[in-house]
């Protein structure tokens, strides 16, 4: 996977949007205004994704391409390098996990709206 295909996959999630709130080169991808992925055009070799804290530690121990995200709360955020030991299937799974982690913290009505949008895809 590369930065373009990662962006496309993320934007394929229900109600996903993108913006550049920090600067012109840092692209965040959100669901209902909550960030679930971050891509930096100046560092096109990685993506930052939200993760369950216990799972984040397990992933960092198992894969050299996954580490705590620089400038993010390392308890919840991993940075994953595209050209390491994480294949595309796992990376897609981690994007799905990040999206789900964000959605599950939302109010039930918002979750229902997202699930409805997902069923319409």
């Amino acid at each position: 996977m590369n930065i373009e295909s990662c962006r496309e996959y993320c934007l394929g999630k229900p109600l996903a949007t993108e913006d550049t709130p920090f600067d012109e080169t840092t692209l965040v991808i959100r669901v209902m205004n909550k960030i679930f992925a971050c891509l930096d055009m100046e560092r096109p070799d990685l993506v930052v994704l939200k993760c369950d804290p216990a799972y984040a530690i397990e992933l960092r121990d198992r894969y050299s391409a996954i580490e705590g995200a620089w400038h993010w709360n390392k308890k919840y955020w991993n940075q994953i390098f595209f050209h390491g030991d994480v294949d595309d299937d796992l990376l897609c799974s981690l994007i799905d996990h990040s999206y789900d982690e964000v959605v599950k913290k939302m109010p039930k009505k918002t979750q229902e709206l997202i699930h409805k949008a997902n069923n319409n895809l």
Side-chain angles (χ1 to χ4, degrees), residues 40-118:
D40 187 344
M41 291 170 259
E42 290 182 344
R43 300 229 24 225
D45 59 335
L46 64 88
V47 61
V48 174
L49 300 171
K50 191 160 192 175
C51 193
D52 170 79
Y55 188 38
I57 292 168
E58 178 184 325
L59 289 166
R60 292 173 201 164
D61 288 344
R62 185 166 182 198
Y63 298 98
S64 63
I66 301 177
E67 54 190 45
W70 189 63
H71 281 308
W72 294 76
N73 184 333
K74 290 167 186 51
K75 180 176 180 180
Y76 298 103
W77 294 89
N78 283 333
Q79 60 188 26
I80 299 110
F81 292 89
F82 294 127
H83 303 294
D85 56 350
V86 174
D87 64 27
D88 289 356
D89 290 337
L90 176 57
L91 186 51
C92 288
S93 162
L94 295 174
I95 292 168
D96 296 344
H97 175 75
S98 179
Y99 181 89
D100 292 343
E101 284 293 297
V102 170
V103 169
K104 79 180 188 182
K105 302 267 196 295
M106 293 180 176
K108 294 291 181 205
K109 285 193 181 256
T110 305
Q111 289 181 34
E112 289 170 9
L113 176 70
I114 293 166
H115 291 304
K116 184 177 180 181
N118 191 27

Side-chain angles (χ1 to χ4, degrees), residues 1-13 27 29 36-39 44 46-49 80 82 88 91-92 95:
M1 191 171 287
N2 60 39
I3 192 170
E4 292 90 8
S5 56
C6 182
R7 176 184 167 267
E8 288 174 20
Y9 186 84
C10 289
L11 289 173
K13 305 299 289 173
L27 178 73
I29 304 174
F36 72 93
C38 180
L39 297 162
L46 64 88
V47 61
V48 174
L49 300 171
I80 299 110
F82 294 127
D88 289 356
L91 186 51
C92 288
I95 292 168

